[in-house]
Amino acid sequence: MAAGLLLASALCGPSVSAQPRTTGHPGASPAALHPMLRIDGAIRAPDGAGLIEFDSAALRALPQYTVRTRTPWHDGQGHFSGPRLWDLLEPLRPAGKTLRITALNDYSVNIPLSDLQQYQPVLAWQLNGKALSVRNKGPLFLVYPFDSYPELNNPLYYARSIWQIKTITVE
């Protein structure tokens, strides 16, 4: 977990603490004590390992972006906010060409790394200013800017817009 905080600190500056958390902190919520996202595979984490875990605080400490777009799963245009997935992966120097992204229910999709550079999808943890819950496609939802790129409005990219993300494996 400290590596996730180290990466967030490297991306955001010294304001992010890389101190390890203790699971016995009396005021900590259960969600704050567990990793929200695991990235593994062909990466180089700051501590030299091929695995990095982020908790919600580390993800929220990264630069945040908002994609204003319509999706097939929501009424009207939504404002989806979170870090760009490429911004999260680039410092890890991904050596593969594909991401296998897996959801909480073990559903997975393969996404070419080139999508991240070309379309800059957001790893959204908020919709219209409110944190996404598991019931509402959270805690993390990969959102492409569908309204900005008409070519994204097709079943291929809808399938790549996975929600309830738990693991990203660089292959």
Side-chain angles (χ1 to χ4, degrees), residues 118-141:
Q118 184 173 0
Y119 299 115
Q120 296 293 319
V122 168
L123 192 59
W125 61 272
Q126 274 189 324
L127 171 58
N128 299 327
K130 296 182 182 175
L132 290 168
S133 67
V134 171
R135 189 174 275 233
N136 193 23
K137 303 193 179 350
L140 297 171
F141 180 10

Side-chain angles (χ1 to χ4, degrees), residues 52-136:
I52 189 166
E53 293 178 325
F54 289 87
D55 63 11
S56 60
L59 286 171
R60 292 171 187 180
L62 297 168
Q64 303 290 298
Y65 297 88
T66 298
V67 171
R68 292 166 181 83
T69 195
R70 289 171 186 77
T71 74
W73 312 283
H74 299 89
D75 292 330
Q77 188 179 64
H79 297 193
F80 298 89
S81 301
R84 290 181 181 150
L85 186 51
W86 177 245
D87 292 347
L88 188 65
L89 288 172
E90 184 181 28
L92 300 174
R93 297 179 289 185
K97 294 186 187 240
T98 304
L99 302 177
R100 184 171 25 94
I101 302 180
T102 305
L104 295 173
N105 66 358
D106 293 327
Y107 171 81
S108 66
V109 297
N110 290 322
I111 297 175
L113 205 54
S114 60
D115 269 17
L116 306 186
Q117 297 162 330
Q118 184 173 0
Y119 299 115
Q120 296 293 319
V122 168
L123 192 59
W125 61 272
Q126 274 189 324
L127 171 58
N128 299 327
K130 296 182 182 175
L132 290 168
S133 67
V134 171
R135 189 174 275 233
N136 193 23

